[in-house]
Amino acid sequence: QLQLQESGPGLVKPSETLSLTCTVSGDSFSSSHYSWGWIRQPPGKGLEWIGTIFYSGTTYYNPSLKSRVTISVDTSENQFSLKLTSVTAADTAVYYCSRHVVRVKYSVDYWGQGTLVTVSS
Amino acid sequence: QSALTQPPSASGSPGQSVTISCTGTSSDVGAYNYVSWYQQHPGKAPKFMIFEVSKRPSGVPDRFSGSKSGNTASLTVSGLQADDEADYYCSSYAGSNTVVFGGGTKLTVL
């Protein structure tokens, strides 16, 4: 059974960089059938697609966040990571790591439990 | 790339059917048959319910069905049950390897 687990600081100061890591347990991490990505949800609000990364390292980002986002992959550790720079209170959200099914244009079939990141001084 | 439009709320009585709409544009919902739907209970991660407009992943009851007409996709929940009470989100492929979500609809089972 595939499992995804987010980790990282729950509190980040304004203007600093938010960094999260997702550890994937399961045997599909290297498969070309899937990509791996991040989705966030501000408290009481809807979901926002942040971006996705392939095992090869190819990335695609939400155009509205592209200037501040970097998603990277560590194939030796079965992990992928999110960095979001110059954060503000608007970046406060539950951040989910997820598996995306490439064949159906990135439908999300597995989600992590989510981790709340608060941006505050 | 703007969020897809969903009604904030929907409701129905047990056993009834309810349909939730998801309106996009000719650049996302209207352009591709890659609409997905997710169910989210409070405090939980979303659950994958529908992909490619109308297909159900293994384990999702056939009470959940999806359709699309033009720029609007729809999710219908038939035979409403108490556990169907949740937030529902649509998403669509938006081209250039990007995805856009809807704002979510809170489904209440009366």
Side-chain angles (χ1 to χ4, degrees), chain A:
Chain A
Q1 179 72 359
L2 186 72
Q3 290 188 322
L4 298 92
Q5 180 66 57
E6 304 90 350
S7 59
L11 181 64
V12 181
K13 290 182 167 56
S15 80
E16 296 190 344
T17 297
L18 179 158
S19 296
L20 295 173
T21 296
C22 182
T23 301
V24 179
S25 302
D27 59 1
S28 61
F29 192 64
S30 61
S31 171
S32 61
H33 295 141
Y34 306 106
S35 63
W36 305 88
W38 295 92
I39 293 161
R40 71 179 182 178
Q41 184 172 35
K45 296 187 178 181
L47 301 168
E48 181 177 31
W49 191 82
I50 298 173
T52 198
I53 188 166
F54 285 78
Y55 187 79
S56 63
T58 299
T59 54
Y60 299 104
Y61 299 130
N62 183 329
S64 67
L65 297 170
K66 188 174 183 177
S67 64
R68 298 195 292 130
V69 170
T70 302
I71 299 176
S72 57
V73 65
D74 184 342
T75 56
S76 65
E77 297 288 343
N78 269 29
Q79 293 178 334
F80 61 100
S81 299
L82 170 70
K83 290 190 186 300
L84 181 66
T85 62
S86 305
V87 297
T88 69
D91 295 308
T92 293
V94 173
Y95 285 77
Y96 294 99
C97 63
S98 52
R99 189 177 82 169
H100 304 174
V101 185
V102 177
R103 183 183 65 78
V104 292
K105 296 302 187 185
Y106 313 113
S107 291
V108 181
D109 65 346
Y110 279 92
W111 300 70
Q113 66 184 21
T115 187
L116 175 63
V117 179
T118 301
V119 178
S120 175
S121 56

Side-chain angles (χ1 to χ4, degrees), chain B residues 7 10-12 17 25 27-29 34-36 39-40 47 51-52 60-61 63-64 72 78 83 92 94 107 109:
Chain B
S11 63
S17 295
T25 70
S27 297
D28 39 59
V29 175
Y34 293 114
V35 175
S36 298
Q39 176 192 65
Q40 186 180 36
K47 177 185 175 183
F51 67 101
E52 284 187 288
V60 174
R63 300 187 297 105
F64 293 86
T72 298
S78 304
D83 190 53
S92 174
L107 174 60
V109 180

Side-chain angles (χ1 to χ4, degrees), chain B residues 4-20:
Chain B
L4 307 176
T5 300
Q6 297 182 236
S9 63
S11 63
S13 299
Q16 290 187 332
S17 295
V18 63
T19 297
I20 298 169

Side-chain angles (χ1 to χ4, degrees), chain B residues 8 16 48 50 52 58 63 65 85 94 97 104:
Chain B
Q16 290 187 332
F48 188 34
I50 296 283
E52 284 187 288
S58 174
R63 300 187 297 105
S65 61
E85 185 162 297
N97 293 289

